[in-house]
Amino acid sequence: MSNRTLAIIKPDAVGKGYTGKIIDRILSAGFNVLGAKLVHLSREKAEGFYAVHTERPFFNDLVDFMTSGPCMPLVVEHDGAVNAFRTLIGSTNPAEADEGTIRKDFAESIQNNAVHGSDSNENAEKEIAFFFTSEEIHPN
Ligand code: ADP
Ligand code: MG
């Protein structure tokens, strides 16, 4: 079982000044942060990150959103990190997210939903490598 996943604090949440509050939620839930950076994604990079969604009707709007300002990718560690992190963030649509989840408390819409979390161990490792070199990831 992998213990790492990729999180992104998305441009809506960074822009509203929620970065510190969201990192506090992540740490309070028992995750370790092994890597972090603030990046303003190019269109090419955002399209590459969300390539699996190319055919979805919301794809162009999603790329507009993800390139609208800086975001903060994080490498986070926890037992069963992928599932633990997705539980912490809640449903994609904040209107359906459980009480106490990050999306319930900080997201504004199904698109501008404050945070990303990888959906499988395989994708977590790919997504971590998409943003971080090994020198940028620090064992806790
Ligand atoms: P998740 O981020 O929960 O894994 P998906 O992988 O299905 O969700 O979608 C990726 C991202 O695309 C979402 O986090 C959200 O920002 C956006 N998105 C998903 N579904 C919609 C939708 N129906 N309308 C607009 N944006 C969407
Ligand atoms: Mg997803």
Side-chain angles (χ1 to χ4, degrees), residues 3 5 23 25-33 76-88:
N3 291 326
T5 191
I23 291 173
R25 292 283 190 99
I26 294 169
L27 295 172
S28 296
F31 289 81
N32 297 314
V33 174
V76 298
E77 179 186 62
H78 193 284
D79 287 344
V82 165
N83 290 335
F85 194 73
R86 289 192 67 101
T87 299
L88 178 66

Side-chain angles (χ1 to χ4, degrees), residues 89-111:
I89 67 179
S91 298
T92 307
N93 185 350
E96 295 167 6
D98 288 343
E99 293 295 330
T101 60
I102 292 175
R103 282 170 166 167
K104 178 73 176 182
D105 292 339
F106 297 104
E108 54 194 42
S109 67
I110 191 168
Q111 175 185 272

Side-chain angles (χ1 to χ4, degrees), residues 32-106:
N32 297 314
V33 174
L34 308 185
K37 56 173 68 172
L38 197 56
V39 293
H40 195 148
L41 293 178
S42 66
R43 230 178 149 82
E44 187 183 16
K45 191 129 177 160
E47 286 171 355
F49 184 75
Y50 280 120
V52 67
H53 293 309
T54 309
E55 302 303 325
R56 307 284 285 276
F58 57 80
F59 181 70
N60 276 326
D61 288 342
L62 176 60
V63 172
D64 286 346
F65 163 56
M66 289 301 292
T67 58
S68 65
C71 66
M72 181 172 279
L74 304 158
V75 180
V76 298
E77 179 186 62
H78 193 284
D79 287 344
V82 165
N83 290 335
F85 194 73
R86 289 192 67 101
T87 299
L88 178 66
I89 67 179
S91 298
T92 307
N93 185 350
E96 295 167 6
D98 288 343
E99 293 295 330
T101 60
I102 292 175
R103 282 170 166 167
K104 178 73 176 182
D105 292 339
F106 297 104

